[in-house]
Amino acid sequence: MKLQHLDKKRLILVDLDGTALVKGGMGMHPKTVEVLKKAEKDGHRVCIVTGRPHRASIRFYRELGLSSLLTNFDGAHIHDPLKRMFKRMVLPISYETVTGVINDPIIKESVDNILIENYNRAVVMKKDSFLENFFHLDDVEDDEYFIADPYEVWAGPSTNVVLTLKSPELKDNVLRRLEAFKNTIKVQTGTVYGHLDDENRSMITLTNKLVNKGFVSNILAQYYNKDIRDVIAFGDQMNDYDMIQLVGYGVAMKNGNDDLKAVASGITHETNDQGGVGFFLEKLLAGEEV
């Protein structure tokens, strides 16, 4: 993989968990920070595109010194946290659909816990350290987080609904019931936003059907006047698939999903823990074969 037209200023899209962040998701490798900061200084535009909510990504945005748009919930929330010159885009699940899902009798009987989020608000049915850590609910900054009965307190649309089940055997029945909402929601199962090795939860995540990182890549390229064929993107999991497949230079992490690697233009030589984004991007922008 080699970059063409080195004189062009690039749009660089970067996932967080498993990509820019090291294992555990608490920080970035120094090499990744160094190279992304240098790219910005050299006139390239870096954008974070993550499944995380705003509250769990803004500190990395600030650490990199970014002034670009920030994308959360895989594209359900796009905003300008610094200059506020871009009208916030929120692509939610309607309130009618949210209530329809959680009130379905089979689903209601099968769930152990429910998390409902909008871009700046989260409600969890009962305290759960797994959900708090996985969705960074304790990283609240200017956000509201409640432990309360969603059947009583939730009102309005949602960017993210998470169902954890009482047992894995119930998953098929829940998925069958969710078929009734297939025109409006996208259903994902498992740890779609990264890896947590110490937990094995039967978890179902629901987002707006239109939301994906490919959709966001087009919006960001248009906003920054970049040809999508000139855009560079880094990701590691299947929620990065549309983005990596769409852009001209889609790079999968060495530690990433094999199906993602199959559609990527390149694969980093180092993992996220080893600064894979930084080392690969440095060589790519220098015009080297990587």
Side-chain angles (χ1 to χ4, degrees):
M1 180 179 176
K2 190 173 183 179
L3 199 64
Q4 303 296 315
H5 309 296
L6 293 180
D7 58 318
K8 288 185 176 182
K9 299 305 179 184
R10 306 287 173 161
L11 175 62
I12 303 165
L13 309 179
V14 185
D15 171 53
L16 287 180
D17 289 284
T19 302
L21 302 185
V22 298
K23 186 176 180 180
M26 299 305 294
M28 292 179 281
H29 190 280
K31 186 65 177 181
T32 295
V33 174
E34 172 199 332
V35 175
L36 289 175
K37 280 187 171 183
K38 185 176 186 303
E40 276 275 316
K41 184 178 180 181
D42 290 343
H44 304 289
R45 178 68 69 172
V46 176
C47 288
I48 292 172
V49 182
T50 179
R52 287 181 174 221
H54 164 87
R55 61 180 168 272
S57 55
I58 189 63
R59 70 183 180 95
F60 304 114
Y61 178 95
R62 291 170 178 160
E63 182 180 353
L64 292 172
L66 300 181
S67 59
S68 54
L69 301 187
L70 175 59
T71 297
N72 301 111
F73 296 116
D74 286 344
H77 181 204
I78 309 168
H79 60 120
D80 181 350
L82 186 65
K83 298 180 179 179
R84 315 218 177 223
M85 295 178 67
F86 176 88
K87 185 173 176 60
R88 184 191 308 273
M89 289 182 62
V90 181
L91 300 174
I93 305 170
S94 71
Y95 178 58
E96 180 182 6
T97 298
V98 172
T99 56
V101 168
I102 66 175
N103 282 291
D104 178 276
I106 299 298
I107 294 175
K108 192 171 184 178
E109 178 62 28
S110 301
V111 295
D112 176 62
N113 208 350
I114 299 172
L115 163 65
I116 305 178
E117 293 186 89
N118 207 7
Y119 68 88
N120 63 348
R121 182 172 179 248
V123 169
V124 175
M125 187 164 65
K126 63 182 182 181
K127 185 170 178 60
D128 186 325
S129 60
F130 171 81
L131 288 179
E132 287 180 348
N133 293 332
F134 193 93
F135 291 96
H136 313 281
L137 298 174
D138 55 347
D139 295 340
V140 173
E141 180 178 317
D142 300 326
D143 285 8
E144 297 179 345
Y145 166 46
F146 304 94
I147 299 171
D149 186 347
Y151 293 96
E152 295 181 0
V153 304
W154 188 265
S158 168
T159 44
N160 196 43
V161 177
V162 179
L163 311 172
T164 63
L165 307 185
K166 293 176 181 176
S167 72
E169 292 75 22
L170 298 170
K171 183 179 289 186
D172 286 350
N173 282 338
V174 171
L175 292 175
R176 290 187 187 103
R177 302 300 291 185
L178 290 172
E179 275 289 308
F181 305 95
K182 65 181 180 181
N183 294 320
T184 187
I185 60 172
K186 179 169 64 176
V187 179
Q188 300 179 82
T189 60
T191 54
V192 295
Y193 296 138
H195 297 286
L196 289 181
D197 297 329
D198 59 345
E199 291 281 357
N200 182 22
R201 288 293 183 93
S202 188
M203 184 169 71
I204 296 174
T205 302
L206 312 177
T207 55
N208 183 300
K209 184 180 180 178
L210 296 179
V211 167
N212 67 69
K213 292 187 180 183
F215 168 79
V216 169
S217 300
N218 273 319
I219 290 177
L220 295 174
Q222 177 274 327
Y223 187 74
Y224 290 113
N225 191 30
K226 304 296 183 184
D227 188 322
I228 197 70
R229 295 171 295 182
D230 294 326
V231 175
I232 302 166
F234 291 88
D236 72 309
Q237 291 299 315
M238 291 305 287
N239 61 324
D240 301 310
Y241 186 96
D242 296 287
M243 175 176 71
I244 296 300
Q245 185 180 46
L246 176 69
V247 302
Y249 300 89
V251 184
M253 299 300 295
K254 180 179 179 179
N255 52 284
N257 182 285
D258 286 341
D259 290 334
L260 186 69
K261 293 177 183 178
V263 300
S265 302
I267 302 171
T268 64
H269 299 279
E270 292 85 14
T271 67
N272 58 321
D273 289 337
Q274 299 164 332
V277 170
F279 285 108
F280 193 96
L281 183 61
E282 182 177 57
K283 292 178 180 178
L284 187 65
L285 293 178
E288 297 180 30
E289 184 75 42
V290 283

